[in-house]
Amino acid sequence: MSLVFYNTLKRKKEIFIPLEKGVVKMYTCGPTVYNHAHIGNFRAYIFEDQLKRYLKYKGFKVTQVMNLTDVDDKIIRNCSEKKIPLQEYTRPFKESFFRDLEILNIDRAEVFPAATEHIGDMVRLIQSLLDKGLAYRTEDGNIFFKITAFPRYGRLQNLNPENLRSGGRVESDEYEKESVHDFALWKAWKPEDGEVYWDTPLGKGRPGWHIECSAMSMKYLGETFDIHTGGVDNIFPHHENEIAQSEGATGKPFARYWLHCEHLLWDGEKMSKSLGNMMYIRGLTDKGYSPRAIRYTLLSTHYRQKLNFSLPLLDQSEKSLKRVDDFLFELDQIHEDGPVHDKVEKEVARMLEKFEEALDDDLNISPALASVFEMIRRINRIKIDFPMTHEDKKSILLALKKVDQVLGVIFSGNHKKSAELSDEAIEARIAERNEARNNRDWARADAIRDELLKSGIELIDRKEGTTYRRK
């Protein structure tokens, strides 16, 4: 089966064919660093990570660019209120974002361009639009894109061109989806902007939000590239405006495939500050949830379906991952020599085939995950009738490591909590516990067990002795 994605621009699934064989260039909308990124944001970043990982799994060389919007209306407003410089204000939010990427085992993009470091690129792009008659300057020094001068405006959102209104202008970085007006490319400095401005050939001011992504994506990926991603809330106006200003300036197609993920809901409601239901990665880990469970929950629903996130759903994810950990632990106990059983080979091959078949179909994650758990169930059944061999274990582990290149939850980050405890240290603690049990010092034995458990080490008492596994 060919690799197929749902292309928002065409409103249908299409076979993915990159511009250059074996190479994929993709742009992903990153955070606006006026606050910490919440789990709704990370739903999109996990989807984009899954997409990138699967493209690499399929053998593509991927160049991903993810922008950091470090200047916009909200940032300027907050800097003014707190009376601190822009870079000082945004720094902790950038650091928080990168820390959460690491916590959730999200692969780093090849380039993380910050808007404030690419003002010159934006100025040149805006000047090109002025030269082509696609933009105009107002008396107050602002520069707007003229949507009626770009006949293809509205294709991504499927807007009716006859309903587009001219004459109105929207200066705000964010505006309602019902509004279809000329949008700001450059904002002339106003006293309330304080110290946030750049002196350029366009005048004293700063770029609008939409021009940032066009300038930075084309700088690093070229005037036409393969994939552009983001959340459905970016479709209009942000991505629509990106297309207009980019294609208006170059006369070439901008991004060829547009992939958008749906909203994350919190207990059935959209996450918002007004409802007081914002949730952050740190808040979830402070409640005792593992980063693996958070990642698993965010990736386990198809990206084009709404995800109703909740603590019970996280509990369910923890249980699913425990099934995987239990299976890995049992595999680790296998040391018998011998060849791979035919039935094991068939189950491994079946899992890999179904896994790839599902993800080839627009990253259909549910049947892909089901194929992994189905293999675990079938292998457990085979173990009842046949003694497993070291070669069986090797075959199974190789397959799981292969799919985990995409999932990032089976092995990746699996032992972080107990990494600081060496095997020798754990064995020594087990010996102490055994001595306490021999002396019928049950309180001491229980205390050692609980201490190890807090460090991510679970003790398992068997007739032949005590073993352990890292959680």
Side-chain angles (χ1 to χ4, degrees):
M1 181 177 177
S2 300
L3 180 56
V4 172
F5 295 134
Y6 182 87
N7 189 350
T8 305
L9 186 65
K10 303 292 183 63
R11 284 171 286 283
K12 65 179 182 179
K13 290 182 182 179
E14 292 186 318
I15 295 174
F16 176 67
I17 303 174
L19 284 166
E20 182 181 348
K21 186 176 181 180
V23 175
V24 177
K25 296 180 179 180
M26 62 182 284
Y27 185 82
T28 57
C29 280
T32 300
V33 287
Y34 76 101
N35 204 337
H36 300 287
H38 56 70
I39 59 170
N41 303 130
F42 278 98
R43 199 271 164 104
Y45 306 147
I46 288 286
F47 144 64
E48 290 154 353
D49 184 57
Q50 180 188 2
L51 169 63
K52 179 182 180 180
R53 283 168 173 262
Y54 192 59
L55 288 167
K56 292 171 70 174
Y57 177 100
K58 297 288 285 185
F60 292 103
K61 178 183 178 183
V62 182
T63 298
Q64 178 192 15
V65 176
M66 177 183 278
N67 72 295
L68 300 174
T69 296
D70 57 352
V71 57
D72 82 334
D73 292 344
K74 295 185 293 292
I75 293 173
I76 292 175
R77 179 195 65 213
N78 294 350
C79 286
S80 178
E81 290 176 356
K82 294 179 181 293
K83 294 181 171 55
I84 58 176
L86 182 143
Q87 296 298 340
E88 182 180 334
Y89 174 78
T90 59
R91 186 181 303 112
F93 302 126
K94 290 179 181 179
E95 292 172 352
S96 169
F97 168 69
F98 285 113
R99 184 170 59 248
D100 286 344
L101 287 185
E102 183 177 356
I103 288 171
L104 293 181
N105 194 29
I106 295 175
D107 282 355
R108 292 287 187 103
E110 279 62 41
V111 186
F112 284 101
T116 55
E117 298 171 359
H118 294 79
I119 302 299
D121 299 301
M122 299 170 204
V123 168
R124 286 186 288 275
L125 182 55
I126 293 169
Q127 186 60 58
S128 173
L129 293 169
L130 284 168
D131 295 342
K132 293 176 183 292
L134 293 168
Y136 59 92
R137 187 188 300 270
T138 58
E139 291 182 1
D140 55 9
N142 292 319
I143 299 174
F144 291 88
F145 185 90
K146 187 176 183 179
I147 62 173
T148 54
F150 187 74
R152 298 190 301 280
Y153 190 89
R155 286 179 302 155
L156 192 65
Q157 177 73 0
N158 197 25
L159 298 172
N160 185 345
E162 295 181 0
N163 294 334
L164 301 185
R165 297 172 299 205
S166 61
R169 293 188 291 267
V170 178
E171 186 179 345
S172 173
D173 284 331
E174 299 180 271
Y175 51 96
E176 296 299 322
K177 292 191 176 185
E178 293 77 22
S179 300
V180 183
H181 295 77
D182 297 347
F183 57 90
L185 299 170
W186 184 259
K187 301 183 180 185
W189 180 84
K190 303 187 297 291
E192 53 264 37
D193 292 341
E195 299 300 317
V196 182
Y197 64 86
W198 285 264
D199 279 316
T200 76
L202 299 177
K204 180 179 177 180
R206 66 175 180 87
W209 173 38
H210 312 295
I211 200 70
E212 297 176 4
C213 286
S214 288
M216 292 188 290
S217 61
M218 291 194 291
K219 177 181 179 68
Y220 293 101
L221 300 175
E223 293 175 338
T224 303
F225 54 91
D226 298 298
I227 299 175
H228 197 311
T229 67
V232 292
D233 52 327
N234 290 141
I235 295 175
F236 186 87
H238 185 47
H239 290 168
E240 193 73 66
N241 293 351
E242 278 189 64
I243 292 173
Q245 60 203 10
S246 303
E247 296 188 0
T250 68
K252 301 175 184 178
F254 182 42
R256 300 173 65 243
Y257 297 84
W258 291 81
L259 278 64
H260 294 94
C261 71
E262 260 290 357
H263 290 296
L264 178 143
L265 307 177
W266 178 261
D267 283 334
E269 294 184 305
K270 185 176 179 181
M271 195 174 294
S272 69
K273 288 183 178 178
S274 61
L275 292 174
N277 62 355
M278 304 293 285
M279 183 57 71
Y280 302 92
I281 303 302
R282 181 61 60 85
L284 293 172
T285 56
D286 286 347
K287 290 179 182 291
Y289 291 102
S290 69
R292 292 172 69 214
I294 300 170
R295 178 182 173 89
Y296 183 90
T297 303
L298 291 172
L299 69 78
S300 59
T301 296
H302 191 272
Y303 76 93
R304 287 195 294 114
Q305 296 177 348
K306 287 185 173 68
L307 170 57
N308 189 16
F309 199 92
S310 65
L311 297 184
L313 188 59
L314 272 174
D315 292 331
Q316 185 178 322
S317 295
E318 295 279 19
K319 291 177 182 178
S320 296
L321 290 170
K322 189 175 187 303
R323 284 180 58 196
V324 176
D325 290 345
D326 289 344
F327 180 70
L328 292 175
F329 177 77
E330 293 299 328
L331 280 183
D332 197 45
Q333 311 308 305
I334 297 171
H335 304 289
E336 300 292 329
D337 291 331
V340 178
H341 289 96
D342 289 343
K343 288 188 176 181
V344 171
E345 279 191 312
K346 288 179 181 177
E347 293 304 332
V348 167
R350 186 207 303 264
M351 184 272 287
L352 290 173
E353 180 182 359
K354 288 185 174 295
F355 183 83
E356 293 183 31
E357 183 181 273
L359 293 183
D360 278 347
D361 183 16
D362 194 32
L363 301 179
N364 196 357
I365 189 63
S366 294
L369 289 172
S371 71
V372 176
F373 286 99
E374 178 67 8
M375 183 197 74
I376 289 174
R377 187 180 66 81
R378 289 175 178 268
I379 295 293
N380 282 334
R381 188 175 295 171
I382 292 171
K383 283 163 54 181
I384 296 173
D385 299 322
F386 299 96
M388 303 288 282
T389 69
H390 179 76
E391 291 301 313
D392 288 326
K393 176 172 70 173
K394 183 178 176 181
S395 176
I396 296 165
L397 288 176
L398 283 174
L400 288 175
K401 287 177 181 177
K402 185 172 184 180
V403 300
D404 202 42
Q405 294 173 27
V406 181
L407 303 177
V409 294
I410 297 176
F411 299 98
S412 306
N414 196 25
H415 308 318
K416 283 181 181 177
K417 290 167 67 176
S418 57
E420 59 194 44
L421 281 177
S422 67
D423 292 337
E424 292 78 9
I426 297 168
E427 293 290 353
R429 297 294 281 157
I430 290 175
E432 286 182 45
R433 179 172 177 265
N434 287 340
E435 182 179 355
R437 294 174 77 187
N438 290 335
N439 294 331
R440 305 182 70 82
D441 187 353
W442 308 119
R444 177 60 179 157
D446 289 346
I448 293 172
R449 180 199 62 205
D450 293 342
E451 288 170 12
L452 288 172
L453 190 58
K454 287 180 181 178
S455 298
I457 306 298
E458 181 180 4
L459 299 184
I460 301 167
D461 293 318
R462 293 179 168 173
K463 289 181 180 180
E464 58 271 23
T466 300
T467 58
Y468 65 91
R469 66 178 171 188
R470 298 177 187 266
K471 297 184 68 178

